[in-house]
Tab-separated table of all heavy atoms in Angstrom:
chain	number	residue	atom	x	y	z
A	19	ASP	N	22.298	7.271	-47.996
A	19	ASP	CA	20.925	7.614	-47.657
A	19	ASP	C	20.621	9.102	-47.762
A	19	ASP	O	19.499	9.523	-47.538
A	19	ASP	CB	20.581	7.135	-46.242
A	19	ASP	CG	21.509	7.730	-45.195
A	19	ASP	OD1	22.336	8.592	-45.535
A	19	ASP	OD2	21.380	7.332	-44.004
A	20	GLY	N	21.642	9.925	-48.111
A	20	GLY	CA	21.402	11.345	-48.294
A	20	GLY	C	21.240	12.129	-47.020
A	20	GLY	O	20.948	13.331	-47.058
A	21	VAL	N	21.422	11.504	-45.853
A	21	VAL	CA	21.294	12.190	-44.571
A	21	VAL	C	22.640	12.810	-44.211
A	21	VAL	O	23.686	12.173	-44.349
A	21	VAL	CB	20.852	11.207	-43.477
A	21	VAL	CG1	20.806	11.899	-42.117
A	21	VAL	CG2	19.496	10.614	-43.836
A	22	PRO	N	22.648	14.090	-43.741
A	22	PRO	CA	23.931	14.719	-43.388
A	22	PRO	C	24.611	13.990	-42.242
A	22	PRO	O	23.945	13.413	-41.370
A	22	PRO	CB	23.513	16.138	-42.971
A	22	PRO	CG	22.183	16.352	-43.600
A	22	PRO	CD	21.521	15.021	-43.642
A	23	TRP	N	25.906	14.033	-42.257
A	23	TRP	CA	26.641	13.476	-41.131
A	23	TRP	C	26.311	14.263	-39.862
A	23	TRP	O	26.065	15.459	-39.908
A	23	TRP	CB	28.158	13.549	-41.394
A	23	TRP	CG	28.625	12.561	-42.405
A	23	TRP	CD1	28.815	12.765	-43.731
A	23	TRP	CD2	28.966	11.207	-42.161
A	23	TRP	NE1	29.239	11.627	-44.355
A	23	TRP	CE2	29.344	10.635	-43.408
A	23	TRP	CE3	28.978	10.384	-41.016
A	23	TRP	CZ2	29.733	9.308	-43.529
A	23	TRP	CZ3	29.388	9.080	-41.158
A	23	TRP	CH2	29.747	8.549	-42.400
A	24	PRO	N	26.262	13.598	-38.696
A	24	PRO	CA	25.924	14.325	-37.451
A	24	PRO	C	26.988	15.340	-37.094
A	24	PRO	O	28.181	15.155	-37.377
A	24	PRO	CB	25.847	13.208	-36.402
A	24	PRO	CG	26.673	12.091	-36.964
A	24	PRO	CD	26.504	12.167	-38.454
A	25	ALA	N	26.537	16.430	-36.473
A	25	ALA	CA	27.472	17.453	-36.014
A	25	ALA	C	28.219	16.949	-34.790
A	25	ALA	O	27.875	15.937	-34.190
A	25	ALA	CB	26.691	18.723	-35.666
A	26	ASP	N	29.261	17.718	-34.396
A	26	ASP	CA	30.089	17.277	-33.274
A	26	ASP	C	29.292	17.154	-31.982
A	26	ASP	O	29.470	16.202	-31.209
A	26	ASP	CB	31.246	18.265	-33.079
A	26	ASP	CG	32.243	18.204	-34.232
A	26	ASP	OD1	32.195	17.209	-34.980
A	26	ASP	OD2	33.046	19.135	-34.369
A	27	ASP	N	28.392	18.154	-31.708
A	27	ASP	CA	27.641	18.069	-30.455
A	27	ASP	C	26.686	16.884	-30.456
A	27	ASP	O	26.410	16.270	-29.413
A	27	ASP	CB	26.893	19.376	-30.204
A	27	ASP	CG	25.989	19.752	-31.367
A	27	ASP	OD1	26.137	19.136	-32.439
A	27	ASP	OD2	25.146	20.651	-31.190
A	28	GLU	N	26.146	16.538	-31.639
A	28	GLU	CA	25.288	15.360	-31.728
A	28	GLU	C	26.080	14.086	-31.456
A	28	GLU	O	25.597	13.159	-30.809
A	28	GLU	CB	24.619	15.290	-33.094
A	28	GLU	CG	23.633	16.411	-33.357
A	28	GLU	CD	23.078	16.368	-34.758
A	28	GLU	OE1	23.828	16.007	-35.687
A	28	GLU	OE2	21.891	16.680	-34.929
A	29	LEU	N	27.306	14.048	-31.989
A	29	LEU	CA	28.155	12.887	-31.717
A	29	LEU	C	28.478	12.777	-30.233
A	29	LEU	O	28.521	11.682	-29.666
A	29	LEU	CB	29.450	12.979	-32.529
A	29	LEU	CG	29.311	12.730	-34.036
A	29	LEU	CD1	30.630	13.017	-34.732
A	29	LEU	CD2	28.891	11.291	-34.304
A	30	ASP	N	28.718	13.953	-29.580
A	30	ASP	CA	28.988	13.923	-28.134
A	30	ASP	C	27.805	13.348	-27.368
A	30	ASP	O	27.956	12.569	-26.423
A	30	ASP	CB	29.286	15.340	-27.637
A	30	ASP	CG	30.630	15.851	-28.161
A	30	ASP	OD1	31.454	15.017	-28.577
A	30	ASP	OD2	30.826	17.077	-28.144
A	31	ASP	N	26.585	13.755	-27.777
A	31	ASP	CA	25.397	13.218	-27.116
A	31	ASP	C	25.279	11.710	-27.313
A	31	ASP	O	24.907	10.971	-26.397
A	31	ASP	CB	24.129	13.900	-27.653
A	31	ASP	CG	24.032	15.352	-27.197
A	31	ASP	OD1	24.715	15.699	-26.224
A	31	ASP	OD2	23.260	16.102	-27.824
A	32	GLU	N	25.584	11.253	-28.536
A	32	GLU	CA	25.517	9.816	-28.801
A	32	GLU	C	26.520	9.050	-27.945
A	32	GLU	O	26.229	7.966	-27.430
A	32	GLU	CB	25.776	9.547	-30.285
A	32	GLU	CG	24.680	10.015	-31.211
A	32	GLU	CD	23.419	9.193	-31.017
A	32	GLU	OE1	23.528	8.023	-30.605
A	32	GLU	OE2	22.333	9.736	-31.258
A	33	VAL	N	27.711	9.619	-27.777
A	33	VAL	CA	28.728	8.969	-26.958
A	33	VAL	C	28.264	8.880	-25.501
A	33	VAL	O	28.399	7.853	-24.841
A	33	VAL	CB	30.063	9.733	-27.055
A	33	VAL	CG1	31.063	9.211	-26.012
A	33	VAL	CG2	30.647	9.585	-28.452
A	34	ALA	N	27.675	10.017	-25.003
A	34	ALA	CA	27.186	9.998	-23.623
A	34	ALA	C	26.079	8.963	-23.448
A	34	ALA	O	25.997	8.267	-22.426
A	34	ALA	CB	26.668	11.397	-23.239
A	35	TRP	N	25.177	8.868	-24.439
A	35	TRP	CA	24.071	7.905	-24.354
A	35	TRP	C	24.592	6.471	-24.394
A	35	TRP	O	24.130	5.603	-23.652
A	35	TRP	CB	23.098	8.175	-25.493
A	35	TRP	CG	21.898	7.263	-25.482
A	35	TRP	CD1	21.566	6.335	-26.405
A	35	TRP	CD2	20.882	7.202	-24.482
A	35	TRP	NE1	20.405	5.701	-26.047
A	35	TRP	CE2	19.954	6.205	-24.874
A	35	TRP	CE3	20.662	7.887	-23.290
A	35	TRP	CZ2	18.837	5.897	-24.112
A	35	TRP	CZ3	19.554	7.567	-22.534
A	35	TRP	CH2	18.654	6.576	-22.955
A	36	ALA	N	25.583	6.207	-25.265
A	36	ALA	CA	26.168	4.870	-25.324
A	36	ALA	C	26.836	4.513	-23.996
A	36	ALA	O	26.741	3.382	-23.515
A	36	ALA	CB	27.183	4.793	-26.464
A	37	ARG	N	27.512	5.518	-23.424
A	37	ARG	CA	28.145	5.289	-22.133
A	37	ARG	C	27.099	4.959	-21.075
A	37	ARG	O	27.260	4.056	-20.250
A	37	ARG	CB	28.938	6.546	-21.737
A	37	ARG	CG	29.435	6.566	-20.302
A	37	ARG	CD	30.451	5.485	-20.026
A	37	ARG	NE	31.018	5.612	-18.699
A	37	ARG	CZ	31.651	4.634	-18.052
A	37	ARG	NH1	31.801	3.460	-18.644
A	37	ARG	NH2	32.136	4.842	-16.853
A	38	LEU	N	25.963	5.656	-21.096
A	38	LEU	CA	24.893	5.416	-20.148
A	38	LEU	C	24.323	4.012	-20.293
A	38	LEU	O	24.101	3.303	-19.317
A	38	LEU	CB	23.780	6.448	-20.357
A	38	LEU	CG	22.567	6.306	-19.443
A	38	LEU	CD1	22.969	6.551	-17.995
A	38	LEU	CD2	21.479	7.276	-19.840
A	39	LEU	N	24.084	3.603	-21.534
A	39	LEU	CA	23.549	2.264	-21.758
A	39	LEU	C	24.530	1.206	-21.270
A	39	LEU	O	24.144	0.179	-20.726
A	39	LEU	CB	23.238	2.064	-23.242
A	39	LEU	CG	22.081	2.899	-23.797
A	39	LEU	CD1	21.905	2.615	-25.280
A	39	LEU	CD2	20.791	2.605	-23.047
A	40	ASP	N	25.808	1.458	-21.476
A	40	ASP	CA	26.824	0.517	-21.018
A	40	ASP	C	26.822	0.425	-19.492
A	40	ASP	O	26.908	-0.656	-18.911
A	40	ASP	CB	28.200	0.944	-21.518
A	40	ASP	CG	29.291	-0.039	-21.104
A	40	ASP	OD1	29.198	-1.219	-21.517
A	40	ASP	OD2	30.215	0.359	-20.382
A	41	LEU	N	26.683	1.590	-18.840
A	41	LEU	CA	26.605	1.581	-17.384
A	41	LEU	C	25.341	0.875	-16.908
A	41	LEU	O	25.338	0.178	-15.899
A	41	LEU	CB	26.634	3.019	-16.855
A	41	LEU	CG	27.986	3.729	-16.936
A	41	LEU	CD1	27.808	5.200	-16.630
A	41	LEU	CD2	28.984	3.114	-15.984
A	42	GLY	N	24.243	1.076	-17.664
A	42	GLY	CA	22.999	0.413	-17.304
A	42	GLY	C	23.144	-1.094	-17.382
A	42	GLY	O	22.668	-1.819	-16.523
A	43	ALA	N	23.806	-1.587	-18.442
A	43	ALA	CA	24.027	-3.024	-18.556
A	43	ALA	C	24.897	-3.521	-17.412
A	43	ALA	O	24.676	-4.589	-16.857
A	43	ALA	CB	24.683	-3.346	-19.907
A	44	ALA	N	25.888	-2.704	-17.039
A	44	ALA	CA	26.752	-3.104	-15.937
A	44	ALA	C	25.979	-3.164	-14.631
A	44	ALA	O	26.239	-3.991	-13.766
A	44	ALA	CB	27.928	-2.127	-15.806
A	45	SER	N	24.987	-2.273	-14.510
A	45	SER	CA	24.205	-2.270	-13.270
A	45	SER	C	23.444	-3.565	-13.099
A	45	SER	O	23.246	-4.041	-11.980
A	45	SER	CB	23.233	-1.083	-13.265
A	45	SER	OG	22.194	-1.297	-14.183
A	46	HIS	N	22.998	-4.153	-14.216
A	46	HIS	CA	22.288	-5.433	-14.117
A	46	HIS	C	23.245	-6.538	-13.675
A	46	HIS	O	22.848	-7.499	-13.047
A	46	HIS	CB	21.662	-5.789	-15.460
A	46	HIS	CG	20.512	-4.908	-15.809
A	46	HIS	ND1	19.342	-4.903	-15.097
A	46	HIS	CD2	20.365	-3.977	-16.791
A	46	HIS	CE1	18.498	-4.030	-15.621
A	46	HIS	NE2	19.095	-3.454	-16.643
A	47	ARG	N	24.520	-6.353	-14.054
A	47	ARG	CA	25.494	-7.384	-13.687
A	47	ARG	C	25.997	-7.199	-12.264
A	47	ARG	O	26.256	-8.148	-11.550
A	47	ARG	CB	26.673	-7.359	-14.659
A	47	ARG	CG	26.331	-7.729	-16.082
A	47	ARG	CD	27.592	-7.919	-16.920
A	47	ARG	NE	28.389	-6.712	-17.000
A	47	ARG	CZ	28.256	-5.797	-17.968
A	47	ARG	NH1	27.336	-5.955	-18.893
A	47	ARG	NH2	29.019	-4.720	-17.994
Side-chain angles (χ1 to χ4, degrees):
D19 58 6
V21 176
W23 287 96
D26 291 344
D27 55 347
E28 294 175 324
L29 288 173
D30 290 341
D31 290 341
E32 291 292 333
V33 170
W35 182 245
R37 169 65 174 161
L38 179 65
L39 292 179
D40 182 61
L41 287 169
S45 72
H46 290 294
R47 295 190 299 269

